[in-house]
Structures are given as C-alpha cells and as structure tokens.
Amino acid sequence: MVTFEVTINSSDMFDYNVYHNYRHFQGIVSLLLGVVMLVVCFFSLRAQANITYILVTGFLGLFFTIITPFRIYFKSIQQVKLTPSFQKPIQYTISETELVIEQEGARAAIPMEEIIKAVDTGKSIVLYISSLRAYILPKREIGEKLPQVIDIIKNSKIRKIKL
C-alpha cells in the first residue's frame, strides 16, 4: 500500500488531454488531415494555384496541426481553474485491491477490478474508470514512490495496463 498527495495543475491536464485526444481515431485522423493540407498548400504555392485554394488548405492545415493543440492547452487551463476539486490536494492510497481517494474529509474507495485501464502518458499515470472518467496521477507528485505504485498497478486486477 502506498499513500501520496496530488495537486493537478494545467500542465498535468494538458498532458492528459493531448494523450486522450491523439490516442483515438478522431485525433489521429485530424492530425493526418492537417499534415496533408499543409503539403497540399505547399505544392499549391509552388504551382502558383488559385489564392483561395492556397488559403483554405493552409488554414485547414494550420488548424489541425497547430491551432488544435493551442485550443487543448487553453481548455486545460480553464478546466483546472473551474474545477473545484483541482484547487486542493487529493490524497491517494493505492493497493492491489483498491484505490482510495480522499479530499477535505470526503473519501471514496474504488476496487481495482473497476479500473478498466492504466496508462503511462510520459508525465502521468492515468487510471481510467470509464472512457470519460479517469484519475490523473502526475509522476512529479508521486516522486520516489513511483516504482512502488507501478508494481502495485502491475500486480492488480486492472484489465489493461500500458506502463
């Protein structure tokens, strides 16, 4: 059993949102579409095509490759500011049988069998309860307890583990 405290910041939320966005079919397709549009724009410029065509392909390419990550970044900042539970530290206690979440006197225990997936985003460990609900455990907050947390997760009854 390992206990640690977590405070989610906008960088943690951005990491999660980027991972969540670009690991699904829609995110991958939008990124590929953006790259294709930028390539089409480049070749249209070289061929001196219609200016409207160049502008539209250039805008779509920039939208899907550059503007979308900026949109995700600003959404992450807003999400952290507007979610009261992110304003105060959350205490997690993780064991092979359950995940206990405590904050300001409130307590919830989730059996590890109910966690459908555990993934490593690079900066965080994310425990998915459903496709839309997850707990973000930033590695910087777990600190030296990270190897213990990973071992517990690997030895638990979580269905999918990508660590």
Side-chain angles (χ1 to χ4, degrees):
M1 182 170 12
V2 178
T3 300
F4 53 92
E5 218 171 68
V6 166
T7 303
I8 301 294
N9 63 30
S10 58
S11 174
D12 302 324
M13 188 56 66
F14 177 69
D15 177 61
Y16 167 76
N17 284 333
V18 166
Y19 178 86
H20 191 72
N21 187 60
Y22 290 114
R23 293 285 191 223
H24 292 85
F25 181 74
Q26 182 181 356
I28 294 168
V29 168
S30 71
L31 184 61
L32 291 174
L33 180 64
V35 170
V36 167
M37 288 292 114
L38 287 175
V39 169
V40 168
C41 178
F42 174 75
F43 284 111
S44 298
L45 274 170
R46 293 195 62 174
Q48 297 177 345
N50 181 335
I51 189 70
T52 304
Y53 185 74
I54 293 169
L55 290 174
V56 168
T57 57
F59 173 76
L60 288 174
L62 290 174
F63 178 78
F64 288 116
T65 59
I66 305 223
I67 296 172
T68 298
F70 275 108
R71 184 183 56 81
I72 292 171
Y73 176 73
F74 289 113
K75 176 186 168 190
S76 299
I77 292 172
Q78 184 178 21
Q79 198 171 2
V80 169
K81 281 183 181 177
L82 297 178
T83 306
S85 63
F86 293 146
Q87 305 306 314
K88 296 190 170 123
I90 305 165
Q91 183 176 336
Y92 290 99
T93 302
I94 188 167
S95 70
E96 291 180 13
T97 58
E98 69 180 356
L99 174 69
V100 177
I101 303 110
E102 296 177 84
Q103 186 179 42
E104 294 189 317
R107 183 180 191 274
I110 299 169
M112 291 304 249
E113 297 89 30
E114 290 185 20
I115 299 174
I116 59 173
K117 183 168 57 168
V119 297
D120 185 342
T121 68
K123 293 183 179 180
S124 301
I125 304 281
V126 180
L127 303 175
Y128 285 91
I129 307 303
S130 71
S131 60
L132 298 175
R133 185 173 163 217
Y135 292 100
I136 304 167
L137 311 175
K139 290 180 180 179
R140 65 175 171 69
E141 295 280 331
I142 300 171
E144 77 264 355
K145 296 177 182 178
L146 183 61
Q148 292 171 291
V149 171
I150 290 173
D151 285 341
I152 289 170
I153 290 171
K154 286 182 177 179
N155 294 322
S156 70
K157 293 184 180 180
I158 296 175
R159 293 176 230 157
K160 278 186 175 178
I161 300 174
K162 296 180 182 177
L163 298 176

